[in-house]
Amino acid sequence: MSTSDATPPSGVITLDALDLAALIASRVCHDVISPVGAIVNGLEILEDEKDEGMRGFAFDLIKKSAAQASARLQFCRIAFGAAGSAAAMLDLGDAEQVARGFIEDQKTKLTWEAPRQLLLKNKVKLLLNLVLVATTTIPRGGVIAVTSEGEGDATAFRIVATGPTARVPGNVVDLLAGRAPDDRVDAHVIQPFYAGLVAKAANMAVTIEAEIEGERIVTKATNVSA
């Protein structure tokens, strides 16, 4: 990790563009490598196996894993990608769709009550990244509820994660604020750190706290007054 020439506030880490891009790329690869690996395994079974039952299993594995890889790439394209120019607008309805594809599984469900509207891309990117952070607060699964209030530039978000043993992971609050243990950011912690960068770009402040210890974690993104 290297830093820029500008002096950041005390304790805040500044990554140069190349380091940030490399760490985000590593995170995206981490998200897609599992389903891609499963596709490869399925193809190997088809190549070697003559039993129709096993071939059917392989086809199901490939189909499921391909859908999962596609969903993760679509999510990462918006959450981490450029998504057009700096002033590009993104649809909250599209954000809901990719979030469902990425988040929902047998353990975790998503409820989305943020009305469909076009917002500046950094607001939408922030929301998706905070939904991703919310999944880490309920390691045994549960429900993530997304709501919004206001319209346009005044839109604010609230994300409630409810599940057994819900807790705020260590260092997440610091990472959202641009700080890290031992002043070091790696691919394992880049996502909440990146979420903090997007929050600054969107001129929003993020808070995350346990509303009910061991059961409910609330994340809020509110607009910073000019």
Side-chain angles (χ1 to χ4, degrees):
M1 182 208 64
S2 49
T3 57
S4 69
D5 293 335
T7 302
S10 178
V12 174
I13 298 171
T14 302
L15 294 177
D16 69 27
L18 287 177
D19 285 338
L20 179 61
L23 290 170
I24 291 296
S26 293
R27 169 62 200 233
V28 173
C29 289
H30 173 272
D31 286 339
V32 300
I33 196 168
S34 178
V36 170
I39 292 170
V40 173
N41 291 339
L43 291 172
E44 290 175 347
I45 293 173
L46 287 178
E47 184 177 357
D48 300 333
E49 188 62 58
K50 302 302 181 183
D51 180 77
E52 288 301 317
M54 287 299 296
R55 290 178 67 83
F57 167 79
F59 276 119
D60 289 342
L61 176 64
I62 292 169
K63 181 179 179 181
K64 177 181 178 181
S65 300
Q68 188 178 58
S70 176
R72 292 187 177 192
L73 285 171
Q74 289 180 57
F75 179 93
C76 291
R77 176 177 173 270
I78 297 179
F80 303 125
S85 66
M89 307 289 282
L90 295 177
D91 192 328
L92 274 185
D94 293 337
E96 176 187 1
Q97 183 177 2
V98 299
R100 287 193 183 282
F102 189 97
I103 300 299
E104 289 195 315
D105 57 23
Q106 293 181 341
K107 294 196 308 177
T108 305
K109 299 302 177 185
L110 178 69
T111 66
W112 191 283
E113 297 181 7
R116 189 161 200 160
Q117 60 172 316
L118 289 173
L119 295 175
L120 287 172
K121 73 172 186 179
N122 281 334
K123 276 186 176 286
V124 179
K125 287 163 67 74
L126 175 61
L127 175 58
L128 289 179
N129 273 276
L130 293 181
V131 169
L132 202 53
V133 170
T135 65
T136 68
T137 69
I138 46 173
R140 293 174 58 186
V143 177
I144 296 174
V146 177
T147 58
S148 68
E149 59 180 45
E151 296 181 352
D153 292 345
T155 302
F157 303 113
R158 187 173 190 262
I159 302 157
V160 179
T162 305
T165 68
R167 81 291 186 267
V168 180
N171 302 319
V172 162
V173 173
D174 282 341
L175 288 163
L176 287 167
R179 298 184 295 270
D182 303 319
D183 292 332
R184 182 175 180 272
V185 177
D186 59 25
H188 297 290
V189 299
I190 188 59
Q191 191 273 321
F193 182 85
Y194 176 76
L197 296 179
V198 178
K200 291 178 183 177
N203 201 32
M204 301 190 80
V206 175
T207 60
I208 179 170
E209 59 185 3
E211 185 174 86
I212 302 178
E213 190 67 38
E215 182 177 340
R216 184 183 303 159
I217 307 298
V218 178
T219 305
K220 297 179 182 178
T222 55
N223 294 286
V224 177
S225 301

